[in-house]
C-alpha cells in the first residue's frame, strides 16, 4: 500500500486507493491505513466541507522505505524467472506425488488366496 501511495508522490483519496487496490476490501483498506497512520508511515488530512474529504500521503519516515522497495523490485526483476521455474518444478512434483498416492489407494484387491503377509499352511 505504501508503494501505491508513494507512486504519484501526492495525496490520494480513499476512493482512489480503492480503485488502485481492488483486491482489498474497504474495511481492510481502512484498517490498514489507520495502522500505517499510527506507525507514522501515512499522514491523513481531513478537509471539512460538503462532502468532507480525506486524503492520505506517505510521510518522510515512509520515504526511508523506498530504497527497500526498490531493492525488492530489482531482486524480483533479476530472479522472477528462477522463482517461476521453481514453482513449476514444485507443482509438477506435487502433481506426480498426488497421482502416485491416488493410484496406490485405488489398486485392485487381489482375487483368491490369502492376504499378503499371512502365512499359508499346507
Amino acid at each position: 500500500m505504501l508503494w501505491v501511495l508513494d507512486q504519484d508522490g501526492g495525496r490520494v483519496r480513499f476512493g482512489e486507493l480503492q480503485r488502485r487496490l481492488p483486491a482489498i476490501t474497504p474495511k481492510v483498506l481502512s484498517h490498514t491505513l489507520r495502522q500505517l497512520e499510527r506507525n507514522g508511515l501515512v499522514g491523513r488530512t481531513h478537509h471539512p466541507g460538503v462532502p468532507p474529504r480525506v486524503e492520505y500521503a506517505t510521510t518522510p519516515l515512509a520515504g526511508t522505505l523506498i530504497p527497500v522497495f526498490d531493492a525488492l523490485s530489482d531482486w524480483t526483476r533479476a530472479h522472477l524467472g528462477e522463482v517461476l521455474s521453481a514453482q513449476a518444478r514444485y507443482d509438477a512434483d506435487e502433481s506426480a506425488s498426488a497421482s502416485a498416492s491416488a493410484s496406490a489407494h485405488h489398486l485392485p484387491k487381489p482375487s483368491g488366496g490369502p492376504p499378503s503377509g499371512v502365512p499359508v499352511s499346507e
Side-chain angles (χ1 to χ4, degrees), residues 89-114:
R89 282 190 307 274
Y90 180 89
D91 292 346
D93 290 346
E94 285 293 304
S95 179
S97 294
S99 293
S101 178
S103 295
H105 293 310
H106 294 95
L107 291 175
K109 294 184 179 181
S111 59

Side-chain angles (χ1 to χ4, degrees), residues 31-43:
H31 176 74
T32 302
L33 285 167
R34 280 193 303 272
Q35 290 297 96
L36 290 170
E37 183 180 8
R38 181 175 180 258
N39 293 331
L41 299 171
V42 167

Side-chain angles (χ1 to χ4, degrees), residues 1-8 10-26 28-34 36 42-44 54-58:
M1 181 170 317
L2 289 174
W3 182 269
V4 171
L5 273 169
D6 196 64
Q7 281 182 343
D8 291 338
R11 298 187 168 282
V12 181
R13 293 179 67 180
F14 187 88
E16 179 59 25
L17 277 173
Q18 277 188 292
R19 281 187 289 283
R20 292 181 187 184
L21 302 166
I24 297 177
T25 65
V28 171
L29 179 58
S30 179
H31 176 74
T32 302
L33 285 167
R34 280 193 303 272
L36 290 170
V42 167
R44 179 180 182 272
V54 177
E55 295 175 323
Y56 299 91
T58 56

Side-chain angles (χ1 to χ4, degrees), residues 7-8 19 23-24 27 45 59-60 62 65-66 69-70 80 83-84 91 93 98 100-101 113 116 122:
Q7 281 182 343
D8 291 338
R19 281 187 289 283
I24 297 177
K27 181 180 178 181
T45 305
T59 64
L65 289 169
I66 299 306
F69 295 152
D70 290 341
L80 183 59
V83 170
L84 294 174
D91 292 346
D93 290 346
S101 178
S116 174
E122 292 186 29

